[in-house]
Amino acid sequence: SLPKPSIWAVPGPVVPQGSPVSIFCRGPPGAARQRLQQVGGSRVWAAESLGDAQAEAAFSFQQATPGHSGTYVCQYKTQDSWSERSDPLELLVVGVSKDKPTLSVQPGPMVALGGSVTLHCHLPSAYDVFLLSKGAELALPAGSIQGGQGKFLLSPATRAHGGTYRCYGSVNTSLHEWSAPSNLLELMVTGVYKKPQLSAVQGPSGAPQHMTTLQCRSEMWFDLFLLSQEGSANVTQRLRSQYKRGFFQANFTLNASEQARGATYRCYGSLSSFPLLWSDPSEPLRLSGRGSAAWNSYKVNMLRLSLAGVILLILLGFLVEAWLSRRDPRGAVERPPALPDGDRVL
């Protein structure tokens, strides 16, 4: 039998209602004709190949409708026989229902290589079918559904899981009517590179004392640095790096409202070419919550230097006293003893 063709959609398998979409079918050289079929439907579209070198055909829909949602397969013809069917292509026309789901992630938007993370898609309880998309591709259906919420477990996390996600909902009795897309959710995978260093440094000259400056740096080339507060689901700050004195580094400034008493911070490094893949976390840095960590450290160091100076002065005093007490008495100028009155020389 003839090998099966490949099938894909442009701009992607998820298309808003009313937008154009094209489905492409490609066979080997010599495939002169292709046909497209929607699984479960009776309609078949036929097209000639775009050229012998490409051996592919395009099936275009100028305005996607709910009826275009579904599963598609294609075949090509060589001489008098048709090939096997392609792998199925799921096409999703979204925005038919105006309800917009909410997509969230637990325990947070950063997951370590090999770890686990669960994405939650929330909609009114009438919805009982949920799908997840990653970038322009459909990812997977919900693993569990309960009370208008679909759960997508990603485990174990790999580099391929880093990306942007949306989710969609529908009703099992009307699978052609999909909701509007959810909010966009970024999932970052950590542990891809070696960890950077995080430390508190003195802020720029003239900076208020209540400001805290945390510096993330690495000898490894990182374009981006990210600061994260432990226990918080949100990324605190993300900055581009600068190269100074043999290190790639970025200074994160926290004002009083961003600082939490006893908060612990870590930082990560990444490359702009793969902005959702991050390094191992730095060692944790805990803030006291009483002003700038750098300023507090500076004051402690100054106090230590002052105490050391006092101790040195005291020791120097003891040394001088000991040196004077050991001087040779013959080297001193002595006064003659006072004469009695009777012995005075007139």
Side-chain angles (χ1 to χ4, degrees):
S1 61
L2 298 173
K4 60 186 178 183
S6 55
I7 186 172
W8 70 96
V10 176
V14 180
V15 56
Q17 181 179 220
S19 298
V21 62
S22 296
I23 298 177
F24 286 81
C25 183
R26 175 184 292 167
R33 189 173 180 82
Q34 280 90 356
R35 66 185 181 189
L36 178 72
Q37 182 178 6
Q38 187 177 21
V39 177
S42 58
R43 188 173 179 184
V44 176
W45 296 268
E48 301 293 332
S49 294
L50 299 176
D52 290 340
Q54 292 179 308
E56 67 181 35
F59 303 88
S60 298
F61 307 109
Q62 295 304 315
Q63 290 187 326
T65 67
H68 288 122
S69 288
T71 304
Y72 291 83
V73 293
C74 74
Q75 295 172 280
Y76 64 88
K77 186 177 183 181
T78 301
Q79 296 179 350
D80 295 329
S81 59
W82 287 94
S83 69
E84 292 184 36
R85 288 184 171 188
S86 66
D87 291 330
L89 169 71
E90 294 290 339
L91 186 67
L92 209 66
V93 178
V94 299
V96 181
S97 165
K98 299 306 178 185
D99 289 331
K100 181 177 180 178
T102 300
L103 183 61
S104 59
V105 58
Q106 293 293 334
M110 305 183 77
V111 58
L113 278 174
S116 299
V117 68
T118 302
L119 277 63
H120 299 258
C121 189
H122 304 263
L123 267 172
S125 58
Y127 288 84
D128 54 8
V129 180
F130 295 90
L131 285 177
L132 184 71
S133 68
K134 176 178 179 287
E137 300 297 324
L138 284 175
L140 69 164
S144 64
I145 300 170
Q146 184 177 7
Q149 175 176 294
K151 296 182 180 180
F152 305 87
L153 175 64
L154 305 182
S155 178
T158 67
R159 298 185 184 200
H161 285 121
T164 55
Y165 292 84
R166 293 185 188 270
C167 72
Y168 313 85
S170 185
V171 180
N172 195 36
T173 56
S174 183
L175 290 179
H176 289 173
E177 297 182 6
W178 288 90
S179 71
S182 71
N183 56 293
L184 191 67
L185 186 144
E186 280 191 349
L187 184 64
M188 293 170 280
V189 177
T190 66
V192 179
Y193 315 110
K194 292 182 179 179
K195 65 183 178 184
Q197 303 169 1
L198 181 64
S199 60
V201 297
Q202 192 170 359
S205 177
Q209 293 185 12
H210 65 270
M211 304 289 282
T212 298
T213 300
L214 304 182
Q215 184 180 89
C216 189
R217 71 176 191 172
S218 173
E219 294 180 346
M220 182 176 176
W221 180 11
F222 286 132
D223 299 324
L224 302 169
F225 285 108
L226 177 150
L227 183 68
S228 176
Q229 180 183 330
E230 287 191 355
S232 173
N234 299 319
V235 172
T236 303
Q237 292 184 43
R238 194 179 316 197
L239 296 175
R240 295 197 68 85
S241 70
Q242 295 181 336
Y243 185 74
K244 293 182 179 179
R245 300 175 183 175
F247 290 92
F248 293 91
Q249 61 187 42
N251 289 341
F252 298 91
T253 301
L254 303 178
N255 57 39
S257 63
E258 293 174 314
Q259 300 177 45
R261 184 176 295 275
T264 300
Y265 292 87
R266 294 178 184 266
C267 74
Y268 304 78
S270 181
L271 300 173
S272 57
S273 53
F274 302 99
L276 295 174
L277 300 180
W278 292 83
S279 69
D280 275 320
S282 67
E283 292 298 321
L285 177 65
R286 187 175 183 273
L287 297 185
S288 65
R290 293 187 293 273
S292 166
W295 180 249
N296 289 339
S297 177
Y298 173 75
K299 290 190 292 185
V300 169
N301 289 335
M302 290 301 296
L303 179 60
R304 288 173 177 170
L305 289 173
S306 299
L307 289 175
V310 171
I311 293 173
L312 284 175
L313 287 175
I314 293 174
L315 290 175
L316 182 60
F318 284 137
L319 288 173
V320 170
E321 183 179 357
W323 178 74
L324 290 176
S325 66
R326 291 184 179 183
R327 288 185 61 186
D328 187 351
R330 290 174 297 178
V333 178
E334 298 182 3
R335 289 185 179 184
L339 296 175
D341 291 341
D343 295 334
R344 288 182 182 274
V345 178
L346 299 177

PDB file of all heavy atoms in Angstrom, residues 184-198:
ATOM      1  N   LEU A 184      -4.084  34.123  28.261  1.00  0.00           N
ATOM      2  CA  LEU A 184      -2.822  33.474  27.905  1.00  0.00           C
ATOM      3  C   LEU A 184      -2.028  33.180  29.175  1.00  0.00           C
ATOM      4  O   LEU A 184      -1.902  34.037  30.052  1.00  0.00           O
ATOM      5  CB  LEU A 184      -2.013  34.384  26.987  1.00  0.00           C
ATOM      6  CG  LEU A 184      -0.781  33.774  26.313  1.00  0.00           C
ATOM      7  CD1 LEU A 184      -1.195  32.709  25.311  1.00  0.00           C
ATOM      8  CD2 LEU A 184       0.022  34.869  25.618  1.00  0.00           C
ATOM      9  N   LEU A 185      -1.501  31.975  29.285  1.00  0.00           N
ATOM     10  CA  LEU A 185      -0.724  31.581  30.460  1.00  0.00           C
ATOM     11  C   LEU A 185       0.658  31.116  30.020  1.00  0.00           C
ATOM     12  O   LEU A 185       0.781  30.268  29.137  1.00  0.00           O
ATOM     13  CB  LEU A 185      -1.441  30.470  31.233  1.00  0.00           C
ATOM     14  CG  LEU A 185      -0.811  30.043  32.560  1.00  0.00           C
ATOM     15  CD1 LEU A 185      -1.888  29.693  33.581  1.00  0.00           C
ATOM     16  CD2 LEU A 185       0.128  28.854  32.386  1.00  0.00           C
ATOM     17  N   GLU A 186       1.689  31.690  30.629  1.00  0.00           N
ATOM     18  CA  GLU A 186       3.072  31.295  30.345  1.00  0.00           C
ATOM     19  C   GLU A 186       3.520  30.250  31.358  1.00  0.00           C
ATOM     20  O   GLU A 186       3.387  30.452  32.562  1.00  0.00           O
ATOM     21  CB  GLU A 186       4.014  32.499  30.435  1.00  0.00           C
ATOM     22  CG  GLU A 186       4.021  33.386  29.220  1.00  0.00           C
ATOM     23  CD  GLU A 186       5.159  34.396  29.270  1.00  0.00           C
ATOM     24  OE1 GLU A 186       5.802  34.525  30.338  1.00  0.00           O
ATOM     25  OE2 GLU A 186       5.406  35.048  28.251  1.00  0.00           O
ATOM     26  N   LEU A 187       4.067  29.157  30.870  1.00  0.00           N
ATOM     27  CA  LEU A 187       4.632  28.134  31.744  1.00  0.00           C
ATOM     28  C   LEU A 187       6.133  28.079  31.500  1.00  0.00           C
ATOM     29  O   LEU A 187       6.580  27.878  30.368  1.00  0.00           O
ATOM     30  CB  LEU A 187       3.998  26.773  31.466  1.00  0.00           C
ATOM     31  CG  LEU A 187       4.445  25.641  32.394  1.00  0.00           C
ATOM     32  CD1 LEU A 187       4.012  25.921  33.831  1.00  0.00           C
ATOM     33  CD2 LEU A 187       3.878  24.304  31.930  1.00  0.00           C
ATOM     34  N   MET A 188       6.902  28.284  32.568  1.00  0.00           N
ATOM     35  CA  MET A 188       8.358  28.303  32.473  1.00  0.00           C
ATOM     36  C   MET A 188       8.935  27.039  33.098  1.00  0.00           C
ATOM     37  O   MET A 188       8.530  26.646  34.193  1.00  0.00           O
ATOM     38  CB  MET A 188       8.911  29.544  33.171  1.00  0.00           C
ATOM     39  CG  MET A 188       8.533  30.841  32.481  1.00  0.00           C
ATOM     40  SD  MET A 188       8.925  32.314  33.455  1.00  0.00           S
ATOM     41  CE  MET A 188       7.539  32.332  34.587  1.00  0.00           C
ATOM     42  N   VAL A 189       9.874  26.426  32.405  1.00  0.00           N
ATOM     43  CA  VAL A 189      10.529  25.208  32.883  1.00  0.00           C
ATOM     44  C   VAL A 189      11.922  25.587  33.377  1.00  0.00           C
ATOM     45  O   VAL A 189      12.702  26.212  32.651  1.00  0.00           O
ATOM     46  CB  VAL A 189      10.618  24.146  31.772  1.00  0.00           C
ATOM     47  CG1 VAL A 189      11.366  22.915  32.271  1.00  0.00           C
ATOM     48  CG2 VAL A 189       9.220  23.765  31.303  1.00  0.00           C
ATOM     49  N   THR A 190      12.237  25.218  34.616  1.00  0.00           N
ATOM     50  CA  THR A 190      13.526  25.558  35.214  1.00  0.00           C
ATOM     51  C   THR A 190      14.412  24.316  35.313  1.00  0.00           C
ATOM     52  O   THR A 190      13.953  23.192  35.150  1.00  0.00           O
ATOM     53  CB  THR A 190      13.332  26.164  36.613  1.00  0.00           C
ATOM     54  OG1 THR A 190      12.784  25.158  37.494  1.00  0.00           O
ATOM     55  CG2 THR A 190      12.378  27.346  36.564  1.00  0.00           C
ATOM     56  N   GLY A 191      15.697  24.569  35.600  1.00  0.00           N
ATOM     57  CA  GLY A 191      16.642  23.465  35.730  1.00  0.00           C
ATOM     58  C   GLY A 191      17.348  23.124  34.440  1.00  0.00           C
ATOM     59  O   GLY A 191      18.031  22.098  34.354  1.00  0.00           O
ATOM     60  N   VAL A 192      17.213  23.994  33.427  1.00  0.00           N
ATOM     61  CA  VAL A 192      17.832  23.725  32.126  1.00  0.00           C
ATOM     62  C   VAL A 192      19.306  24.126  32.130  1.00  0.00           C
ATOM     63  O   VAL A 192      20.124  23.494  31.460  1.00  0.00           O
ATOM     64  CB  VAL A 192      17.063  24.467  31.016  1.00  0.00           C
ATOM     65  CG1 VAL A 192      17.697  24.223  29.653  1.00  0.00           C
ATOM     66  CG2 VAL A 192      15.598  24.036  31.010  1.00  0.00           C
ATOM     67  N   TYR A 193      19.671  25.169  32.895  1.00  0.00           N
ATOM     68  CA  TYR A 193      21.052  25.660  32.940  1.00  0.00           C
ATOM     69  C   TYR A 193      21.534  25.710  34.393  1.00  0.00           C
ATOM     70  O   TYR A 193      20.754  25.533  35.329  1.00  0.00           O
ATOM     71  CB  TYR A 193      21.144  27.068  32.333  1.00  0.00           C
ATOM     72  CG  TYR A 193      20.397  27.242  31.037  1.00  0.00           C
ATOM     73  CD1 TYR A 193      19.241  28.022  30.976  1.00  0.00           C
ATOM     74  CD2 TYR A 193      20.839  26.640  29.864  1.00  0.00           C
ATOM     75  CE1 TYR A 193      18.545  28.191  29.788  1.00  0.00           C
ATOM     76  CE2 TYR A 193      20.150  26.802  28.674  1.00  0.00           C
ATOM     77  CZ  TYR A 193      19.000  27.581  28.643  1.00  0.00           C
ATOM     78  OH  TYR A 193      18.313  27.739  27.467  1.00  0.00           O
ATOM     79  N   LYS A 194      22.829  25.992  34.560  1.00  0.00           N
ATOM     80  CA  LYS A 194      23.402  26.107  35.898  1.00  0.00           C
ATOM     81  C   LYS A 194      22.861  27.350  36.605  1.00  0.00           C
ATOM     82  O   LYS A 194      22.542  28.351  35.974  1.00  0.00           O
ATOM     83  CB  LYS A 194      24.929  26.184  35.820  1.00  0.00           C
ATOM     84  CG  LYS A 194      25.593  24.895  35.357  1.00  0.00           C
ATOM     85  CD  LYS A 194      27.111  25.038  35.358  1.00  0.00           C
ATOM     86  CE  LYS A 194      27.785  23.747  34.911  1.00  0.00           C
ATOM     87  NZ  LYS A 194      29.269  23.886  34.889  1.00  0.00           N
ATOM     88  N   LYS A 195      22.822  27.277  37.932  1.00  0.00           N
ATOM     89  CA  LYS A 195      22.215  28.357  38.708  1.00  0.00           C
ATOM     90  C   LYS A 195      23.115  29.592  38.766  1.00  0.00           C
ATOM     91  O   LYS A 195      24.347  29.489  38.796  1.00  0.00           O
ATOM     92  CB  LYS A 195      21.911  27.883  40.130  1.00  0.00           C
ATOM     93  CG  LYS A 195      23.148  27.527  40.947  1.00  0.00           C
ATOM     94  CD  LYS A 195      22.754  26.990  42.313  1.00  0.00           C
ATOM     95  CE  LYS A 195      23.994  26.592  43.129  1.00  0.00           C
ATOM     96  NZ  LYS A 195      23.620  25.993  44.423  1.00  0.00           N
ATOM     97  N   PRO A 196      22.516  30.802  38.800  1.00  0.00           N
ATOM     98  CA  PRO A 196      23.267  32.040  39.011  1.00  0.00           C
ATOM     99  C   PRO A 196      23.429  32.322  40.507  1.00  0.00           C
ATOM    100  O   PRO A 196      23.019  31.518  41.351  1.00  0.00           O
ATOM    101  CB  PRO A 196      22.376  33.093  38.343  1.00  0.00           C
ATOM    102  CG  PRO A 196      20.993  32.548  38.513  1.00  0.00           C
ATOM    103  CD  PRO A 196      21.105  31.046  38.497  1.00  0.00           C
ATOM    104  N   GLN A 197      24.021  33.480  40.820  1.00  0.00           N
ATOM    105  CA  GLN A 197      24.229  33.898  42.205  1.00  0.00           C
ATOM    106  C   GLN A 197      23.336  35.100  42.507  1.00  0.00           C
ATOM    107  O   GLN A 197      23.200  35.999  41.681  1.00  0.00           O
ATOM    108  CB  GLN A 197      25.691  34.290  42.441  1.00  0.00           C
ATOM    109  CG  GLN A 197      26.685  33.192  42.120  1.00  0.00           C
ATOM    110  CD  GLN A 197      28.116  33.703  42.120  1.00  0.00           C
ATOM    111  OE1 GLN A 197      28.373  34.877  42.376  1.00  0.00           O
ATOM    112  NE2 GLN A 197      29.059  32.821  41.827  1.00  0.00           N
ATOM    113  N   LEU A 198      22.760  35.123  43.708  1.00  0.00           N
ATOM    114  CA  LEU A 198      21.908  36.236  44.131  1.00  0.00           C
ATOM    115  C   LEU A 198      22.460  36.815  45.421  1.00  0.00           C
ATOM    116  O   LEU A 198      22.742  36.079  46.372  1.00  0.00           O
ATOM    117  CB  LEU A 198      20.471  35.765  44.343  1.00  0.00           C
ATOM    118  CG  LEU A 198      19.462  36.838  44.774  1.00  0.00           C
ATOM    119  CD1 LEU A 198      19.301  37.900  43.686  1.00  0.00           C
ATOM    120  CD2 LEU A 198      18.107  36.213  45.099  1.00  0.00           C
TER     121      LEU A 198
END
